[in-house]
Amino acid sequence: MTERSLTEYREARCRDIEENIKEIRDNIAEAAIQSGRNPEDVRLMAVTKTVEPCFINHAIHCGIDLIGENRVQEFLGKKPELDLDGVDCHLIGHLQTNKVRQIVGEVSTIQSVDSLKVAREISKQSVKNDLVTKILLEVNVGEEESKSGMPYEAVEDLLPEIAALPGLSVEGFMAIPPICEDEVVLRGYFSKMNQLYVDMKDKNIDNINVNTLSMGMSADYVQAILEGSTLVRVGSSLFGARVY
Ligand SMILES: *Cc1c(COP(=O)(O)O)cnc(C)c1O
């Protein structure tokens, strides 16, 4: 691309991002009200994987205060270029135990905790650095072999064990339901997650502060909010289609 067309491309993309954010916020507000909640009770996360720092910064200038990255390396590489003042950063992609050391202290929250093993390592590294890492338990709600996340049925037993670890604070759950066309089936997965969220909140397990149900992406965040989501993770509808 010539320099001029590159500038034009960037300006056009920035305008799109600004408009997309407005539209997504309107949709979130509408769905929240429809489900009997305040629009402020549903957080919008901008999912930034593959997105260049200049566009992430533009989204931040347009009011985005929560971003999510999938890969430790990609996030750490981009972080020095991001205007993160007042911005909350979460890791949302699968985390290998050997990467935990690098990410603890770099994000407030790890949403993708799917085993006792990785929780133990987050605990260990957090204690070592004298900090508390917030975590969400990722649940494989559709019981898909290809997906990460702990089995739905395992959560009740694992939760107290993970909650007892020092250096971490269990804040709730994250899920990615199977891709499905049938809206009734899709909402069934979200509703199943909401049931778990409400049940675990009511159990008053020591040391946990369940306040987040992270579900809903570009294609289905409205349905997720209607079923109780408190945090939607939106990438392509906000930044445009990803180019890998
Ligand atoms: C990529 C990703 C998203 C966002 O997906 P879109 O469909 O682009 O909105 C949300 N959550 C996780 C865990 C992701 O990996």
Side-chain angles (χ1 to χ4, degrees):
M1 261 193 265
T2 63
E3 212 163 292
R4 187 188 155 90
S5 61
L6 183 62
T7 307
E8 281 169 359
Y9 157 76
R10 282 178 196 264
E11 283 171 1
R13 190 158 175 207
C14 282
R15 278 194 299 274
D16 286 347
I17 290 169
E18 188 167 0
E19 271 175 31
N20 292 342
I21 291 173
K22 282 196 193 116
E23 193 179 317
I24 295 163
R25 289 223 190 266
D26 284 348
N27 294 340
I28 290 174
E30 200 176 310
I33 290 165
Q34 216 179 317
S35 70
R37 292 181 294 156
N38 286 324
E40 303 83 62
D41 294 342
V42 181
R43 294 177 81 190
L44 169 60
M45 163 186 282
V47 174
T48 55
K49 62 175 176 247
T50 78
V51 180
E52 291 167 70
C54 64
F55 299 119
I56 302 173
N57 286 335
H58 185 69
I60 292 169
H61 300 153
C62 295
I64 289 294
D65 60 2
L66 172 62
I67 65 168
E69 270 282 349
N70 287 65
R71 296 215 171 91
V72 172
Q73 239 59 45
E74 183 180 342
F75 178 59
L76 296 181
K78 290 194 282 198
K79 201 178 178 197
E81 293 178 64
L82 300 178
D83 303 334
L84 292 177
D85 205 21
V87 177
D88 193 12
C89 302
H90 293 190
L91 185 78
I92 59 172
H94 181 69
L95 179 61
Q96 288 166 304
T97 313
N98 63 4
K99 295 271 170 64
V100 169
R101 194 173 48 82
Q102 297 169 58
I103 196 69
V104 162
E106 300 288 343
V107 292
S108 74
T109 307
I110 297 174
Q111 293 204 358
S112 39
V113 176
D114 60 359
S115 69
L116 183 57
K117 187 173 168 224
V118 80
R120 282 202 175 115
E121 186 62 20
I122 295 168
S123 165
K124 186 176 139 193
Q125 297 299 333
S126 300
V127 169
K128 207 158 125 186
N129 290 285
D130 201 19
L131 46 85
V132 174
T133 303
K134 295 179 189 174
I135 64 167
L136 303 184
L137 305 187
E138 182 179 352
V139 180
N140 185 355
V141 67
E143 294 170 42
E144 294 170 282
E145 278 192 29
S146 59
K147 280 227 182 103
S148 49
M150 53 181 68
Y152 188 90
E153 285 71 29
V155 173
E156 194 166 354
D157 287 339
L158 276 172
L159 187 56
E161 215 172 326
I162 292 175
L165 297 169
L168 48 84
S169 167
V170 183
E171 308 267 318
F173 305 97
M174 187 266 263
I176 308 170
I179 294 167
C180 64
E181 305 272 292
D182 187 333
E183 174 143 352
V184 176
V185 177
L186 177 67
R187 286 186 60 164
Y189 289 120
F190 289 138
S191 147
K192 194 174 167 189
M193 283 306 302
N194 191 44
Q195 192 62 54
L196 180 73
Y197 175 67
V198 171
D199 285 351
M200 295 303 129
K201 233 177 147 104
D202 286 349
K203 277 190 101 177
N204 274 323
I205 300 166
D206 279 351
N207 239 342
I208 77 169
N209 172 27
V210 173
N211 58 51
T212 302
L213 180 57
S214 170
M215 56 185 196
M217 321 203 313
S218 289
D220 56 14
Y221 66 89
V222 167
Q223 288 88 347
I225 295 167
L226 293 176
E227 296 296 343
S229 170
T230 72
L231 188 161
V232 293
R233 310 177 309 268
V234 181
S236 45
S237 290
L238 199 157
F239 289 111
R242 279 184 289 278
V243 183
Y244 286 93

